């Protein structure tokens, strides 16, 4: 670190408006610090207090997971803390186009701490977070779609601030082991899950998807032929074919569990063998998502499909799986912010 680097961290605010407002989202207390133009982008900065669980997750020393179960379990700990979708300021609407956030206490975040100091120098106050250590503070930056700086009467006693927050999908661990027969079921298999609430799951069967066979005609679809040239389609197809072995080795097919639930929750299944194995370090980012042909299932709820690990083509019989988790949906909402006195 030197003076030249430190000076490059200093933000150049072309227009700015200190908000000094806060809102509560459950147990979380957040401060809307400042709205400003920086590098021709309109940005909103938020300072958010972290829970003890979040702080422990940020400060815990990383340990390489010994099994896929441990790796997937670790992945459930994270949450979406960047929830602001729209800011309404004195009746003017600003929509978020992108968002980033980081913990102020992390050692590599010198630039964010310099920005934080500049916010304080411009008059930002933190209310209940004034004495909170950096290790329990996050600083979030929301870039707005709009370019024009909003016109606000700063001489008035205050201005109204309303936020629209994104919906959340909260993971709930289940860890229920099941043995599923392949094929389509004449009668759905009902599975009752009792965790934070009771959820009834209706499994309609396990089908197979041959990705290699599908690849032969996949790129003849209008979605490709009407958008790309023949040469572009050839390159896209080759890239797709090159990625397939990481998803499904040749001679294998992908099992797909088709289901619906009375809460319209998405479920995550894994094979029991996969969860026991040591994680593989693969550079490939290939993945596969499937949607059922019918949007609504026989029980009247939304249809879902969950992809499992590939099995040998021609496999029939029973699959040992685990219902690892479900995602509880919490709808988005509007919150009115209050001024920090």
């Amino acid at each position: 670190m030197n003076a030249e680097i430190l000076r490059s961290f200093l933000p150049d605010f072309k227009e700015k408006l200190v908000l000094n407002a806060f809102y509560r989202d459950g147990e979380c207390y957040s401060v809307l610090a400042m709205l400003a133009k920086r590098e021709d982008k309109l940005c909103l900065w938020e300072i958010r207090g972290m829970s003890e669980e979040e702080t422990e997750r940020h400060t815990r020393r990383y340990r390489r997971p010994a099994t896929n179960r441990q790796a997937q379990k670790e992945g459930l700990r994270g949450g979406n803390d960047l929830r602001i979708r729209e800011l309404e300021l004195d009746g003017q609407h600003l929509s978020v186009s992108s968002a980033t956030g980081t913990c102020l206490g992390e050692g590599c975040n010198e630039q964010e701490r310099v920005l934080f100091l500049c916010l304080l120098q411009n008059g930002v106050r933190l209310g209940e977070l004034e004495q909170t250590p950096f290790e329990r503070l996050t600083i979030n930056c929301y870039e707005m779609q709009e370019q024009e700086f909003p016109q606000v009467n700063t001489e008035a006693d205050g201005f109204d601030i309303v936020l629209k927050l994104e919906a959340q999908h909260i993971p709930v661990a289940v860890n229920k082991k099941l043995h599923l027969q392949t094929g389509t079921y004449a009668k759905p298999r009902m599975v009752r899950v009792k965790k934070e609430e009771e959820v009834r799951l209706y499994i309609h069967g396990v089908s197979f998807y041959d990705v290699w066979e599908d690849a032969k005609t996949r790129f003849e679809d209008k979605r490709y032929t009407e958008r790309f040239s023949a040469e572009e389609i050839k390159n896209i197809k080759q890239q797709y074919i090159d990625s397939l072995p990481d998803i499904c080795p040749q001679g294998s097919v992908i099992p797909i569990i088709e289901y619906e639930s009375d809460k319209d929750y998405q479920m995550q299944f894994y094979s029991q063998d996969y969860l026991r194995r040591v994680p593989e370090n693969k550079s490939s980012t290939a993945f596969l998502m499937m949607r059922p042909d019918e949007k609504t299932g026989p029980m009247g709820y939304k249809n879902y499909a969950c992809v499992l690990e590939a099995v040998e083509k021609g496999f029939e019989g029973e699959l040992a799986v685990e219902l690892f988790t479900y995602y509880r949906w919490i709808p988005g909402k509007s919150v009115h912010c209050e001024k920090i006195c």
Side-chain angles (χ1 to χ4, degrees):
M1 180 65 67
N2 57 44
E4 182 180 12
I5 295 175
L6 195 63
R7 189 174 289 108
S8 70
F9 290 165
L10 294 171
D12 180 19
F13 296 137
K14 296 178 180 177
E15 293 182 81
K16 60 188 177 183
L17 176 64
V18 174
L19 299 175
N20 280 345
F22 74 91
Y23 70 97
R24 298 184 190 275
D25 181 21
E27 297 180 358
C28 177
Y29 179 94
S30 297
V31 172
L32 295 186
M34 178 187 285
L35 186 71
K37 287 290 290 287
R38 185 179 68 169
E39 298 178 356
D40 298 324
K41 294 179 181 178
L42 184 56
C43 298
L44 169 69
W45 283 278
E46 173 190 35
I47 311 298
R48 179 180 170 275
M50 296 165 57
S51 66
E52 291 184 9
E53 181 182 359
E54 290 174 301
T55 305
E56 190 274 333
R57 186 172 71 244
H58 276 275
T59 57
R60 184 175 61 247
R61 183 178 179 181
Y62 174 77
R63 293 184 180 180
R64 186 174 179 176
T67 64
N68 284 316
R69 176 182 296 280
Q70 291 180 6
Q72 296 299 332
K73 184 178 179 181
E74 185 66 24
L76 297 179
R77 297 177 183 272
N80 179 19
D81 301 329
L82 302 168
R83 293 191 60 202
I84 298 177
R85 180 164 56 91
E86 183 179 283
L87 168 70
E88 181 183 340
L89 187 62
D90 262 0
Q92 300 167 79
H93 295 264
L94 302 174
S95 300
V96 173
S97 61
S98 64
T100 56
T102 187
C103 175
L104 279 171
E106 293 183 2
C108 60
N109 287 339
E110 291 94 349
Q111 185 170 358
E112 284 73 17
R113 286 194 287 272
V114 171
L115 169 64
F116 181 69
L117 178 60
C118 290
L119 294 177
L120 297 182
Q121 287 179 324
N122 277 276
V124 167
R125 299 193 300 274
L126 301 186
E128 295 180 11
L129 302 178
E130 283 285 344
Q131 297 183 25
T132 303
F134 282 0
E135 290 73 18
R136 295 190 61 175
L137 290 179
T138 59
I139 181 167
N140 299 331
C141 177
Y142 296 88
E143 290 187 5
M144 301 299 174
Q145 293 180 7
E146 292 76 13
Q147 297 273 328
E148 297 298 321
F149 200 85
Q151 301 300 311
V152 178
N153 182 10
T154 57
E155 302 299 324
D157 292 337
F159 33 81
D160 293 328
I161 301 177
V162 181
L163 297 178
K164 287 186 179 179
L165 302 182
E166 294 277 10
Q168 288 182 295
H169 293 82
I170 307 297
V172 178
V174 178
N175 306 123
K176 190 178 186 71
K177 294 182 179 180
L178 302 167
H179 287 82
L180 300 179
Q181 291 290 331
T182 59
T184 302
Y185 304 163
K187 181 181 178 181
R189 177 174 175 180
M190 196 270 282
V191 178
R192 183 180 285 110
V193 177
K194 292 184 178 180
K195 287 296 180 178
E196 297 181 0
E197 57 188 322
E198 181 173 300
V199 181
R200 293 189 181 187
L201 173 69
Y202 301 93
I203 301 175
H204 298 298
V206 181
S207 59
F208 294 103
Y209 173 52
D210 190 334
V211 294
W212 291 94
E213 188 65 27
D214 175 74
K216 295 177 182 178
T217 58
R218 180 184 185 92
F219 298 95
E220 297 172 7
D221 190 280
K222 289 182 179 179
R223 292 175 298 174
Y224 297 97
T225 58
E226 293 180 353
R227 294 180 58 194
F228 303 103
S229 68
E231 185 65 27
E232 288 172 328
I233 291 175
K234 181 181 177 180
N235 292 333
I236 294 171
K237 182 176 180 179
Q238 189 58 53
Q239 290 175 9
Y240 180 73
I241 294 294
D242 291 343
S243 73
L244 284 187
D246 287 332
I247 304 173
C248 179
Q250 280 192 309
S252 299
V253 290
I254 299 289
I256 301 172
I257 300 175
E258 299 182 31
Y259 67 92
E260 53 186 312
S261 80
D262 62 350
K263 295 291 194 298
D264 281 347
Y265 289 166
Q266 186 174 351
M267 308 282 167
Q268 181 62 60
F269 296 86
Y270 295 107
S271 72
Q272 293 180 26
D273 180 61
Y274 166 80
L275 291 173
R276 286 191 293 264
R277 289 205 310 269
V278 176
E280 297 180 28
N281 292 322
K282 291 184 178 180
S283 59
S284 173
T285 57
F287 66 95
L288 185 67
M289 292 182 65
M290 299 296 297
R291 290 185 176 89
D293 294 333
E294 301 293 332
K295 291 185 178 181
T296 304
M299 307 303 295
Y301 306 110
K302 184 177 179 180
N303 251 344
Y304 289 96
C306 182
V307 173
L308 296 176
E309 267 196 307
V311 298
E312 188 176 347
K313 194 172 183 178
F315 176 89
E316 292 182 2
E318 193 176 73
L319 289 171
V321 304
E322 183 172 318
L323 174 52
F324 192 75
T325 188
Y326 69 79
Y327 290 86
R328 183 165 56 90
W329 184 73
I330 299 177
K333 61 183 179 180
S334 295
V335 294
H336 288 263
C337 299
E338 302 179 44
K339 293 293 293 182
I340 296 175
C341 298

